[in-house]
């Protein structure tokens, strides 16, 4: 069922602390984080997503995006929108750059899919 979402936060945090931010992003996105139902887990998934997105420098974004498939990019877009809804201090500008870069990689299709999909981040 939908409870298949297992986010290995420990592994992701250890990738982040080793500066392997893009690997952390790929691992996070591939663990179907939007399948999480429980509100506490959902918030934890969001928090983790923002830590990863904030850790990746602007100069690294294109390289990261080029390594993601369509599904991962759609999931990434969901977390970017989640970030706009509850912005952290200083995160909005960084998330806007993410949005711009993902958008230019996916076009309007990703935005339409994200907005049509009820499984929000």
């Amino acid at each position: 069922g939908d409870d298949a979402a297992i986010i290995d936060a420990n592994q992701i945090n250890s990738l982040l602390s080793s500066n392997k931010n893009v690997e952390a992003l790929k691992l996070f996105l591939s663990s179907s984080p939007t399948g999480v139902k429980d509100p506490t887990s959902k918030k934890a998934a969001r928090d983790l997503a923002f830590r990863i997105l904030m850790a990746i420098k602007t100069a690294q974004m294109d390289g990261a995006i080029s390594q993601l498939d369509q599904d991962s990019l759609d999931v990434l877009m969901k977390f970017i929108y989640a970030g706009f809804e509850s912005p952290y201090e200083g995160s909005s500008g960084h998330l806007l750059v993410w949005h711009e870069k993902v958008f230019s990689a996916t076009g309007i299709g990703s935005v339409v899919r994200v907005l049509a999909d009820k499984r929000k981040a």
Side-chain angles (χ1 to χ4, degrees):
D2 274 339
D3 300 328
I6 305 293
I7 300 168
D8 190 344
N10 292 335
Q11 195 182 349
I12 289 169
N13 283 322
S14 86
L15 285 170
L16 286 176
S17 60
S18 321
N19 234 0
K20 297 183 176 157
N21 302 330
V22 176
E23 285 92 329
L25 179 67
K26 285 161 71 175
L27 178 62
F28 176 78
L29 294 173
S30 66
S31 62
S32 48
T34 53
V36 178
K37 293 276 184 288
D38 169 63
T40 311
S41 309
K42 215 180 201 25
K43 183 178 184 326
R46 278 188 172 197
D47 289 346
L48 190 55
F50 299 146
R51 286 191 48 205
I52 299 167
L53 291 177
M54 297 303 286
I56 294 174
K57 311 265 184 300
T58 308
Q60 300 174 308
M61 288 178 186
D62 289 322
I65 290 167
S66 68
Q67 295 179 47
L68 300 173
D69 61 15
Q70 188 64 64
D71 288 344
S72 293
L73 287 169
D74 284 357
V75 173
L76 175 55
M77 202 55 129
K78 287 183 183 182
F79 280 96
I80 292 168
Y81 281 121
F84 289 148
E85 284 171 24
S86 50
Y88 284 59
E89 197 60 48
S91 67
S92 295
H94 198 69
L95 286 174
L96 273 173
V97 180
W98 268 112
H99 183 277
E100 197 176 292
K101 291 186 177 292
V102 175
F103 185 82
S104 64
T106 60
I108 192 76
S110 184
V111 175
V112 171
R113 281 189 299 275
V114 168
L115 297 180
D117 191 340
K118 296 296 174 267
R119 288 170 309 163
K120 280 200 161 74

